[in-house]
Amino acid sequence: MTKTLRLIFPQWQGGNNPNYVFGSLLLGHIVPPGDKAETIQIMIDEDTSQELSIENGVIGGDGLLKQMSEATKVLVEKAPDKVITLGGDCSISQAPFDYLHRKYPDSLGILWLDAHSDMSTINDSQKGHMHVLGNLLGQGAPQFAEKVCHPFKVEQVMLAGLKYEELRPCDHQVNDLKMNYLTPDKLVDDSRLIIDWITQNQFKHLAIHFDLDVLSPQDYRSINPGKPYLEIEKFPAPVGAMTLEQITRIMKDVSEQTEIVGFSIGEHLPWDAINLRKALESVEIFRD
């Protein structure tokens, strides 16, 4: 019998954004429950009042390493066949994808649905969520990359929805490593190019990283650039251009070609719920 483990992983230090905690917990209620999956919440440092220090070249690095180690421990003890991870910032994918690569060493590919590369080094950025895919490739932040016991090869990864024309200097490894990538315009009408990549590499299993920031804030508002009253043109990073309908089509199409054994969702920022919660916290009756 196939064993599925659902990790609720409200890790926030990788993006240095405490709002990711609530976003992760809310995802636990939004995502369809499934009939047989076991759910475990990874314990994190919930003290968001203190400014994070830089450790190992990464903001909040020690806490991140501790939490990733805890996630790895849970995965090894539970030994699931499939892992669903509900974050949290994008660094939540490191432990489960590394675990799955050990379980499926010769047949696993990664589909990284993201407007950004997540392949920066500590010389480019000190935020852990910007290193995670680099870590999984044995690059990224050294103290984190060395924790990856089963690194992936470039050909095992497809960046889909990447805003390649807006790459920043911190994204240089996309070109340095000659990564496979597909821009949003290549995925508007069909998933053929992703299917071709799966077929050519004979991937029997697939791990999907779904950064909600791959979506356009005009289509889906619960993301960083979807913050109320934000002027999009002033957002300091490339803004996603895909629709939820397109992403759903891709998921369905790839599931007909290979078995999805890993699925991470990151960067969930439900602004209306976050703002309502903060507003109510200021009212005395809700503090009793």
Side-chain angles (χ1 to χ4, degrees), residues 149-189:
C149 298
H150 310 279
F152 288 80
K153 297 178 181 178
V154 167
E155 56 267 27
Q156 291 177 279
V157 179
M158 173 63 77
L159 290 157
L162 180 71
K163 297 295 288 292
Y164 181 80
E165 70 282 0
E166 298 177 33
L167 288 186
R168 301 155 292 174
C170 64
D171 299 308
H172 61 87
Q173 289 203 106
V174 173
N175 292 322
D176 294 349
L177 300 178
K178 297 180 171 59
M179 299 297 298
N180 299 304
Y181 68 88
L182 292 168
T183 51
D185 59 294
K186 302 293 185 182
L187 298 166
V188 170
D189 297 318

Side-chain angles (χ1 to χ4, degrees), residues 9 38 51 61 87 116 218 243 252 256 282:
F9 199 172
E38 180 180 3
E51 183 176 350
H116 316 117
Q218 298 300 315
T243 67
K252 290 180 178 179
E256 294 175 358
S282 66

Side-chain angles (χ1 to χ4, degrees), residues 229-248:
Y229 305 110
L230 177 71
E231 297 181 48
I232 295 297
E233 62 274 10
K234 294 182 180 180
F235 191 73
V239 175
M242 300 196 68
T243 67
L244 186 57
E245 183 178 4
Q246 290 166 348
I247 294 295
T248 302

Side-chain angles (χ1 to χ4, degrees), residues 17 19 213 217-218 220-232 235 269-272 274-275 278:
N17 188 341
N19 286 322
D213 281 358
Q218 298 300 315
Y220 189 81
R221 304 295 297 178
S222 297
I223 53 177
N224 212 349
K227 189 174 183 177
Y229 305 110
L230 177 71
E231 297 181 48
I232 295 297
F235 191 73
L269 291 170
W271 291 113
D272 288 344
I274 290 169
N275 291 334
K278 288 181 178 178

